Amino acid sequence: MSAEEQRVAALDAADPLAGFRDRFAIADDALAYLDGNSLGRLPRATPARLAQVVEQEWGERLIRSWGEGWMELPRRVGDAIGELLGAAPGQVVVADSTTVCLHKLAAAALAARPDRDEIVTDVDNFPTDRYVLEGLARRRGATIRWLDADPSPEQVAAAVGPRTALVSLSHVAYRSGRILELDAITRIAHAAGALTLWDLSHSGGSVPVGLDAAAVDLAVGCTYKYLNGGPGAPAYLYVARDLQDRLRQPIWGWIGRRDPFSMEPGYEPADGIAAYLSGTPPVLGIAAVEVGVRLVAEAGIESIRAKGIALTELALELADRWLAPHGVAVGSPRDAAQRGAHLALEHPDGERLCERLAQRGVIVDFRAPTTLRLGLSPLTTRFADVLRGVAVLRDLMEEST
Amino acid sequence: MSAEEQRVAALDAADPLAGFRDRFAIADDALAYLDGNSLGRLPRATPARLAQVVEQEWGERLIRSWGEGWMELPRRVGDAIGELLGAAPGQVVVADSTTVCLHKLAAAALAARPDRDEIVTDVDNFPTDRYVLEGLARRRGATIRWLDADPSPEQVAAAVGPRTALVSLSHVAYRSGRILELDAITRIAHAAGALTLWDLSHSGGSVPVGLDAAAVDLAVGCTYKYLNGGPGAPAYLYVARDLQDRLRQPIWGWIGRRDPFSMEPGYEPADGIAAYLSGTPPVLGIAAVEVGVRLVAEAGIESIRAKGIALTELALELADRWLAPHGVAVGSPRDAAQRGAHLALEHPDGERLCERLAQRGVIVDFRAPTTLRLGLSPLTTRFADVLRGVAVLRDLMEEST
């Protein structure tokens, strides 16, 4: 065992979260899966929970299950997610996709600021966020003020003003992993009279968020990354309690209506967060999300955050020593306090390297044009996986020189 | 065995689709489940297919599964549904909820008729359809022309004109089960220069539709009724090929963009039907839908239609003999050619009767204010279930007099 191997073995042995890896289905223990920030692993409890929903709740109880728990799923699982995000109950629901949730809340925000015609976001916000905002801006005749990637509070302050309706950013940047200053930026937006919409896809379940404490207005997030909800699992949305009855989302469906089974004429929004639902809840998807969320809650977001820092610190150190000499640049913040649970490595040959890593049992992902992301989902990633991933990448670089 | 029991036993014995009931999980064979039009039963093959998706595709292959079939699911299953609906490949995708699909397509239609400001629908269209149209009309400053329930072509003809942007109706009415004249109404709408958006939730998988033959513009539908896709399963949408590049849906997400993984600036719609996708495909949900759709395709929509007629004819005859004397009125068309696969019974005490039927092992549903729906999903409903359902209802009425 090399000195490095001994060192990571000691880190894994001392890891208070190490036992959580056994709570996930791991078919190939040697696989270095550094992509849990794109698709989180399968919790071991998920197949049994899905079998229960499918075989008993659907197969046996049939339509009666709507009255025996299904109708409450969006709110029940939403509240569990809210707890991870620092949101008091009654402000989060699970629904739709992240894209549709973004659309609903951004549209609601723009409608609430009819006299303002600017949206602030950044050029490297996740693509679907940018496209949703572009679509809404086009229809509203609004303008997007594009900030540089990963904007600082100062950059946001320089962009907002009396015309700003909405500031919409990702809390943890999907490419660099930078944690944006959610508190400061929210204050700056509010001081300008704008609303805020945060995308928590890369922070929910990996770093503390503190939505209520920061007085965030609106947020959305994805459940198939750090929350381990499964491929294409439904998303969540947050609307601060004091805004729920003042804003109005645009997709008026029966599940968001007051007393939906009255089938009455005329849409009237339900009270509270339920008004932000539209269609029939996707029961299978939400049930799977619940299992992942409960695991994250059991581990505790502070412990998860601490391990995320330790994993990315190790990756950063190894990248500096082993990869920098081969022209690989670190694309993430060097200060752990400013960095989420993934590390971006930049290399012009990134796409081919990603494929070659996979051939050697190291799964990372590539984000055009040059970014390799090492996603180090704390509940399922070992320090040994980090070592292996960086070492294999170093070997590939050495072979190609 | 009574004469009636002998008669239905003979009908079940002669039913060419009788064997399909064994393809579904039936926990309680005595339960008369007359609600497959609300939530279709669980296909026996679904748990194994879901286990494969969850345990192998997600658990073992992880992120690699996106390149090994998941990305194609919305179109692959969409094409299979399209075949049931008389739509050539490349015009149907599975996505979102019925509500969100309705919103996307109705918004696209209104945007394509910017000089027109009226929407035609009927007062008893399914609530989510009405609410979606109201929401869009409100934002557009458009007016809804409300027709009486279950409108005839003549009624539609009297309502459309140079101001009509969109005619949006359900093919089979959720309450009465009436089959609207899709061909004639589509022609009338087109003659007025309007687009058509049909909700196929109660016809997809129960009656032939013929979308291409009727030159329908847009359609949506639900997969958890006659397609047996599971609770809250994702919906489908149809956009006629020649409109796909001319219309534009409002929720611009990465999965609907050309070359989504380029992550490039600026939304450009993908070619063809893919432009109508928005967020990440809900893999578990679509996989379950595929099992249900394949079963319907295997049985054949013409055979399903023939059995649907036979089941509702029996229910109608028994209702006339046994229930009419107790003040129960038939709320569905008496002509089988105009009736889908459910029968509406009207009684002022409908809600309480629905609950009492359930206590005796007969599941129907109640739609306020007075409708009991007997949903006779042809693949899973026996003639004996119809007899039992109506007989128990008769007994309840006799006891309460």
Side-chain angles (χ1 to χ4, degrees):
Chain A
M1 210 184 244
S2 72
E4 295 301 347
E5 285 166 342
Q6 286 176 20
R7 178 179 160 216
V8 300
L11 288 170
D12 279 319
D15 172 15
L17 295 182
F20 276 90
R21 186 172 157 93
D22 293 333
R23 307 283 291 280
F24 291 83
I26 312 270
D28 173 6
D29 196 54
L31 184 76
Y33 186 63
L34 308 182
D35 212 359
N37 58 328
S38 184
L39 177 65
R41 281 186 179 275
L42 167 65
R44 265 187 207 276
T46 299
R49 172 65 183 132
L50 279 173
Q52 180 188 37
V53 171
V54 169
E55 295 173 38
Q56 289 159 40
E57 298 178 13
W58 173 14
E60 296 180 18
R61 296 302 298 164
L62 291 155
I63 197 72
R64 294 166 288 193
S65 288
W66 282 112
E68 295 168 357
W70 286 352
M71 281 308 288
E72 283 69 53
L73 278 174
R75 293 191 59 151
R76 183 175 86 202
V77 183
D79 281 344
I81 293 172
E83 198 170 342
L84 296 174
L85 306 176
Q91 300 179 104
V92 178
V93 282
V94 179
D96 305 312
S97 63
T98 310
T99 299
V100 170
C101 288
L102 276 165
H103 179 89
K104 285 159 73 161
L105 296 195
L110 296 180
R113 292 289 184 274
D115 52 335
R116 292 168 173 242
D117 66 353
E118 289 186 356
I119 301 167
V120 172
T121 190
D122 76 89
V123 295
D124 206 24
N125 199 352
F126 186 74
T128 220
D129 301 61
R130 291 188 270 114
Y131 304 150
V132 161
L133 296 175
E134 285 175 28
L136 289 168
R138 175 85 61 98
R139 259 195 311 295
R140 266 277 302 248
T143 302
I144 296 183
R145 290 192 64 134
W146 294 103
L147 305 178
D148 290 343
D150 305 353
S152 66
E154 294 69 31
Q155 288 171 301
V156 174
V160 298
R163 296 178 62 177
T164 313
L166 176 66
V167 175
S168 183
L169 296 165
S170 290
H171 182 208
V172 170
Y174 85 103
R175 185 186 301 280
S176 69
R178 179 178 292 276
I179 303 175
L180 268 62
E181 295 186 39
L182 179 138
D183 293 65
I185 290 172
T186 298
R187 275 197 304 274
I188 288 163
H190 287 172
L195 292 163
T196 52
L197 168 54
W198 287 95
D199 185 337
L200 309 178
S201 292
H202 286 271
S203 52
S206 79
V207 302
V209 180
L211 287 175
D212 287 350
V216 164
D217 305 293
L218 305 165
V220 302
C222 164
T223 63
Y224 52 76
K225 301 177 183 295
Y226 297 98
L227 296 177
N228 306 295
Y236 58 87
L237 62 81
Y238 162 92
V239 180
R241 187 178 301 281
D242 69 318
L243 291 176
Q244 289 170 4
D245 298 329
R246 287 158 51 200
L247 267 52
R248 200 146 183 194
Q249 60 92 3
I251 305 180
W252 295 6
W254 70 320
I255 301 299
R257 190 189 185 280
R258 181 188 309 276
D259 195 6
F261 291 96
S262 69
M263 309 270 167
E264 281 178 5
Y267 180 81
E268 297 172 44
D271 286 330
I273 194 68
Y276 295 83
L277 297 170
S278 300
T280 305
V283 170
L284 273 56
I286 303 179
V289 168
E290 185 165 29
V291 178
V293 169
R294 301 277 179 211
L295 263 178
V296 169
E298 184 185 335
I301 194 68
E302 296 296 342
S303 302
I304 288 171
R305 172 65 178 145
K307 185 173 174 188
I309 289 175
L311 288 163
T312 52
E313 286 285 272
L314 174 65
L316 180 65
E317 180 208 317
L318 296 172
D320 281 342
R321 284 164 51 198
W322 292 348
L323 303 177
H326 296 287
V328 175
V330 170
S332 295
R334 294 190 158 272
D335 176 0
Q338 297 174 24
R339 192 176 64 226
H342 75 265
L343 193 75
L345 299 175
E346 305 292 337
H347 191 277
D349 208 18
E351 186 161 20
R352 201 173 57 91
L353 288 167
C354 179
E355 290 163 10
R356 294 183 64 202
L357 283 166
Q359 289 160 7
R360 299 201 187 177
V362 176
I363 308 289
V364 303
D365 66 20
F366 170 71
R367 288 294 176 255
T370 60
T371 308
L372 286 177
R373 293 192 309 184
L374 274 54
L376 309 177
S377 185
L379 286 188
T380 56
T381 307
R382 298 166 295 197
F383 292 92
D385 295 324
V386 175
L387 175 62
R388 173 129 190 282
V390 181
V392 172
L393 183 52
R394 175 198 58 192
D395 295 347
L396 288 174
M397 309 290 301
E398 285 176 356
E399 288 165 25
S400 63
T401 55
Chain B
M1 211 182 243
S2 71
E4 295 301 346
E5 285 166 341
Q6 286 177 21
R7 179 179 159 214
V8 299
L11 288 170
D12 279 318
D15 172 16
L17 295 182
F20 275 90
R21 186 172 156 94
D22 292 334
R23 308 282 291 279
F24 292 83
I26 311 270
D28 173 6
D29 197 55
L31 184 75
Y33 186 63
L34 308 181
D35 211 1
N37 58 328
S38 184
L39 176 64
R41 280 186 180 274
L42 167 66
R44 264 187 207 276
T46 299
R49 173 64 182 131
L50 278 173
Q52 179 188 37
V53 171
V54 170
E55 294 173 38
Q56 289 160 40
E57 297 179 16
W58 172 15
E60 296 180 16
R61 297 300 299 161
L62 290 155
I63 198 73
R64 294 166 288 194
S65 289
W66 282 113
E68 296 168 356
W70 286 352
M71 280 309 287
E72 283 70 52
L73 277 175
R75 292 191 59 151
R76 184 174 87 203
V77 183
D79 282 345
I81 293 172
E83 198 171 341
L84 297 175
L85 306 176
Q91 301 179 104
V92 177
V93 282
V94 178
D96 306 311
S97 62
T98 310
T99 300
V100 170
C101 288
L102 276 164
H103 179 90
K104 285 158 76 162
L105 296 194
L110 296 180
R113 294 288 184 275
D115 52 334
R116 291 168 173 243
D117 65 352
E118 289 185 356
I119 301 167
V120 172
T121 189
D122 76 88
V123 294
D124 206 25
N125 200 351
F126 187 73
T128 220
D129 301 61
R130 291 187 269 115
Y131 304 150
V132 161
L133 296 174
E134 285 175 28
L136 289 167
R138 174 85 60 97
R139 260 195 310 295
R140 267 277 301 250
T143 302
I144 297 183
R145 290 191 64 134
W146 294 103
L147 305 177
D148 289 344
D150 305 353
S152 66
E154 294 68 32
Q155 288 171 300
V156 174
V160 298
R163 295 178 63 176
T164 313
L166 176 66
V167 175
S168 185
L169 297 166
S170 290
H171 182 209
V172 170
Y174 85 103
R175 185 186 302 277
S176 70
R178 179 179 291 277
I179 302 175
L180 269 60
E181 295 187 39
L182 179 139
D183 293 65
I185 291 173
T186 298
R187 275 197 304 275
I188 289 163
H190 287 172
L195 292 164
T196 52
L197 168 54
W198 288 95
D199 185 336
L200 309 177
S201 292
H202 285 271
S203 53
S206 78
V207 302
V209 181
L211 288 175
D212 288 351
V216 164
D217 305 293
L218 306 165
V220 302
C222 164
T223 64
Y224 51 76
K225 300 177 183 296
Y226 296 99
L227 295 176
N228 305 295
Y236 59 86
L237 62 82
Y238 162 92
V239 181
R241 188 178 302 281
D242 69 318
L243 291 177
Q244 289 170 3
D245 298 330
R246 288 160 50 202
L247 265 52
R248 199 145 182 194
Q249 60 91 2
I251 305 180
W252 297 4
W254 70 319
I255 301 300
R257 190 190 185 280
R258 180 187 310 277
D259 195 6
F261 290 95
S262 68
M263 309 268 166
E264 281 177 7
Y267 181 81
E268 298 172 42
D271 287 330
I273 193 68
Y276 294 83
L277 297 172
S278 299
T280 305
V283 170
L284 273 57
I286 303 180
V289 168
E290 185 165 30
V291 177
V293 169
R294 301 278 179 211
L295 263 180
V296 170
E298 185 185 334
I301 193 69
E302 297 296 343
S303 301
I304 289 171
R305 172 64 178 145
K307 184 172 174 188
I309 289 175
L311 287 164
T312 52
E313 287 284 271
L314 175 65
L316 180 65
E317 179 207 318
L318 295 173
D320 281 342
R321 284 166 50 201
W322 291 349
L323 303 178
H326 296 287
V328 175
V330 171
S332 295
R334 293 190 159 272
D335 175 1
Q338 297 174 24
R339 189 178 64 226
H342 75 263
L343 193 75
L345 300 175
E346 306 292 338
H347 191 277
D349 208 17
E351 187 161 19
R352 200 175 58 92
L353 289 167
C354 180
E355 289 162 12
R356 294 183 65 201
L357 283 166
Q359 289 160 7
R360 298 201 188 177
V362 176
I363 308 288
V364 304
D365 65 20
F366 170 70
R367 290 292 177 255
T370 60
T371 309
L372 286 179
R373 293 192 310 185
L374 273 54
L376 309 177
S377 186
L379 287 187
T380 55
T381 307
R382 299 166 295 196
F383 292 92
D385 295 323
V386 175
L387 174 62
R388 174 129 189 283
V390 181
V392 172
L393 184 52
R394 175 199 59 191
D395 294 347
L396 288 174
M397 308 291 299
E398 286 176 356
E399 289 166 23
S400 63
T401 55

